[in-house]
Amino acid sequence: MTYCVAMKLDHGLVYLSDTRTNAGVDNISTVTKMRSWDVPGERTITLLSAGNLATTQAVVSWLDERNKTPGERAPSILAAPTMFEVARIVGDTLATEVAARSQTPGQTMDAAFAGTLILGGQIKGADPRLYLIYPEGNFIEATEDNPFFQIGEAKYGKPILIRAFEAAMDFRDAVRLMLVSMDSTVRANLSVAPPFNLRYVKDGEFTATHERRIEGDDPYFRTLSEGWGEALRKAIPTLPSYEG
Amino acid sequence: MTYCVAMKLDHGLVYLSDTRTNAGVDNISTVTKMRSWDVPGERTITLLSAGNLATTQAVVSWLDERNKTPGERAPSILAAPTMFEVARIVGDTLATEVAARSQTPGQTMDAAFAGTLILGGQIKGADPRLYLIYPEGNFIEATEDNPFFQIGEAKYGKPILIRAFEAAMDFRDAVRLMLVSMDSTVRANLSVAPPFNLRYVKDGEFTATHERRIEGDDPYFRTLSEGWGEALRKAIPTLPSYEG
């Protein structure tokens, strides 16, 4: 599996993804699930992927192919006039790729080829947008009521996001919260693991404001992980005791 | 779905289950997923169930039928000499019931009829035992390394259990921790909801030491839920800030 999370903050979009991919527990490897396309000053697009790796890599390859020769292989995400159009192109590419695999004779398990994507970005003249794209190619957009998306092993890390997310958080607070959510997931599920990819794009900057890979032995991540365990253990006794 | 959790503590077994059952989101109702059989001074057995309600109710009915006329309808869980035997009987009953449904012509989806159970109890002369019973009827036992079991929507509430469980906790601390785990689940997933059933059986007491139903508007649960949200929000800023 995978765990990716993306947040729509008041001042920009921030993304975090793990890198573990596995076919069974005895066949694991490290693959980046975050891809980005930036045109400085004009547009920035980031894609996070979960699900069948062959499918999601094929989607990225198709998007890249079309970017290289946009005239011949339209539609290109670098030519689309709006993020909505970009989402439509990516969703259609995904649905087409999944459908193509599922039509192979003898293959009936659509779900095995499915992929789910988070797409975020901004095109000059419009606000940043964040979308969740389903395997069928349709998508929903992040709103004030629904300001973050998770894909892959989303359940472990969801409660803390529900409780602590605030759209007004600065980028450092958002990263800390995302890493806590990631840490809860990593501790509970073997199929999610470091290194992690982190990317922040501030509203109006059409390239990464901050971008890096966080290794498993990263001192900050280690401190955060230990500190969070300690904080949870300390928080429980502050709650009123059960007197039933 | 469902969320049930049971812990093997140094001094006894404690169980918590929700009561929501649903066939789609537009057809929900309240059903107890906790059943118990106590023979004062001799044995205590508690069963938590998740999965197909028809299957798990049928299992309980079969167990009850055999208890009423154990001579004719052996094996009875009230006559079994050990908890291991009880687990075997319950597992066999579950597997038989699931298999029977799955053999109906035109039905091939075994998974749709599957149920998963947590079985705990004690028979005089032996220690308390806790088992997780799979839909296939086989089972594993709780050990020091694996001191609690969850069934149903287990992921949301797992991180806090991993971090804060201690076998030496007293029963009130265990209940508080379980309710925090339950609260994280309820907040994130519509298919888990109060009221909750709570039961604690102390080692050597062959009946419930403490047993009650906790309603959604229970003042303690409300306080805990709000306090936990507050504690989490406060805990995050105590962690070191991201400086990347």
Side-chain angles (χ1 to χ4, degrees):
Chain A
M1 285 290 280
T2 291
Y3 180 46
C4 301
V5 53
M7 291 176 173
K8 190 178 181 187
L9 301 170
D10 289 345
H11 47 80
L13 300 171
V14 56
Y15 312 87
L16 182 70
S17 63
D18 85 318
T19 53
R20 174 149 295 176
T21 179
N22 67 300
V25 287
D26 55 350
N27 185 2
I28 62 173
S29 45
T30 298
V31 172
T32 294
K33 291 142 190 185
M34 185 184 292
R35 284 296 307 269
S36 55
W37 296 264
D38 294 336
V39 181
E42 198 267 328
R43 75 178 59 205
T44 172
I45 297 170
T46 304
L47 193 66
L48 307 180
S49 58
N52 186 295
L53 185 62
T55 296
T56 56
Q57 285 192 344
V59 168
V60 170
S61 297
W62 274 118
L63 298 175
D64 272 338
E65 288 275 302
R66 295 201 200 108
N67 291 340
K68 283 171 198 155
T69 51
E72 294 165 34
R73 300 183 176 203
S76 159
I77 55 171
L78 298 187
T82 62
M83 280 304 299
F84 177 81
E85 271 297 308
V86 173
R88 219 182 44 73
I89 293 168
V90 174
D92 287 352
T93 308
L94 175 64
T96 306
E97 184 58 33
V98 173
R101 289 306 121 202
S102 304
Q103 281 167 2
T104 311
Q107 300 280 17
T108 52
M109 273 286 289
D110 286 20
F113 299 105
T116 308
L117 306 171
I118 293 175
L119 171 74
Q122 184 175 19
I123 294 175
K124 199 169 182 173
D127 288 334
R129 298 292 186 89
L130 186 65
Y131 297 94
L132 176 67
I133 304 181
Y134 296 104
E136 293 78 6
N138 55 349
F139 51 85
I140 58 173
E141 186 177 355
T143 61
E144 263 183 50
D145 291 327
N146 192 20
F148 59 85
F149 288 132
Q150 305 168 282
I151 55 176
E153 280 290 350
K155 294 184 179 184
Y156 304 103
K158 190 172 187 183
I160 185 62
L161 294 180
I162 292 177
R163 300 283 198 165
F165 178 87
E166 287 171 43
M169 284 188 294
D170 72 20
F171 131 75
R172 291 174 201 286
D173 287 350
V175 171
R176 182 168 61 186
L177 175 58
M178 282 172 135
L179 284 173
V180 165
S181 173
M182 180 63 84
D183 177 58
S184 295
T185 310
V186 168
R187 294 215 156 221
N189 197 305
L190 266 185
S191 74
V192 179
F196 310 123
N197 289 300
L198 170 66
R199 182 175 162 93
Y200 168 58
V201 185
K202 199 173 167 181
D203 186 359
E205 296 188 5
F206 298 94
T207 185
T209 313
H210 180 84
E211 183 159 36
R212 64 181 277 239
R213 172 169 280 218
I214 299 172
E215 301 291 334
D217 60 358
D218 179 81
Y220 176 69
F221 181 64
R222 292 256 59 84
T223 308
L224 199 67
S225 176
E226 284 156 29
W228 180 239
E230 190 61 27
L232 285 182
R233 278 187 292 274
K234 278 187 189 159
I236 296 260
T238 67
L239 300 173
S241 183
Y242 178 69
E243 306 289 354
Chain B
M1 284 289 282
T2 289
Y3 179 46
C4 301
V5 53
M7 292 177 172
K8 190 177 180 187
L9 301 170
D10 289 344
H11 48 80
L13 298 171
V14 56
Y15 312 87
L16 181 71
S17 64
D18 85 317
T19 53
R20 175 149 295 176
T21 180
N22 66 300
V25 289
D26 55 349
N27 184 2
I28 63 171
S29 45
T30 298
V31 171
T32 294
K33 292 143 189 183
M34 186 183 293
R35 283 296 306 269
S36 57
W37 296 263
D38 295 335
V39 182
E42 198 267 328
R43 76 177 59 206
T44 172
I45 297 169
T46 304
L47 194 66
L48 308 180
S49 58
N52 185 294
L53 185 62
T55 296
T56 57
Q57 285 193 343
V59 169
V60 169
S61 297
W62 275 116
L63 297 175
D64 272 339
E65 287 275 303
R66 295 201 199 107
N67 289 342
K68 281 172 198 153
T69 52
E72 295 165 32
R73 300 184 177 202
S76 159
I77 55 171
L78 298 186
T82 62
M83 279 305 297
F84 177 82
E85 270 297 307
V86 173
R88 219 183 44 74
I89 293 168
V90 174
D92 287 351
T93 308
L94 174 63
T96 306
E97 184 59 32
V98 173
R101 286 306 122 203
S102 303
Q103 281 165 3
T104 310
Q107 300 281 16
T108 51
M109 274 286 288
D110 287 19
F113 299 105
T116 308
L117 306 172
I118 293 175
L119 171 75
Q122 184 176 20
I123 294 175
K124 199 170 184 174
D127 289 334
R129 298 292 186 88
L130 186 65
Y131 298 95
L132 176 67
I133 305 180
Y134 296 104
E136 293 78 7
N138 55 349
F139 50 85
I140 59 172
E141 187 177 355
T143 63
E144 265 182 49
D145 292 326
N146 192 20
F148 59 84
F149 288 133
Q150 304 169 282
I151 55 177
E153 281 290 350
K155 295 184 180 184
Y156 305 102
K158 191 172 187 183
I160 185 63
L161 295 180
I162 291 177
R163 300 282 198 164
F165 178 87
E166 287 171 42
M169 284 187 294
D170 73 18
F171 130 76
R172 290 174 201 285
D173 287 350
V175 170
R176 182 169 59 188
L177 175 58
M178 283 171 133
L179 285 172
V180 166
S181 173
M182 180 63 85
D183 177 58
S184 296
T185 310
V186 167
R187 293 214 159 221
N189 197 304
L190 265 187
S191 74
V192 178
F196 312 123
N197 288 301
L198 171 67
R199 182 175 162 91
Y200 168 59
V201 185
K202 199 173 168 182
D203 186 0
E205 293 188 7
F206 298 94
T207 185
T209 313
H210 180 84
E211 184 161 33
R212 64 182 278 239
R213 173 170 278 220
I214 298 171
E215 301 290 336
D217 61 358
D218 179 83
Y220 177 69
F221 181 65
R222 292 256 58 85
T223 308
L224 199 67
S225 176
E226 284 156 28
W228 180 239
E230 190 60 27
L232 284 182
R233 278 187 292 271
K234 277 187 192 161
I236 296 261
T238 68
L239 299 173
S241 183
Y242 178 69
E243 304 291 354

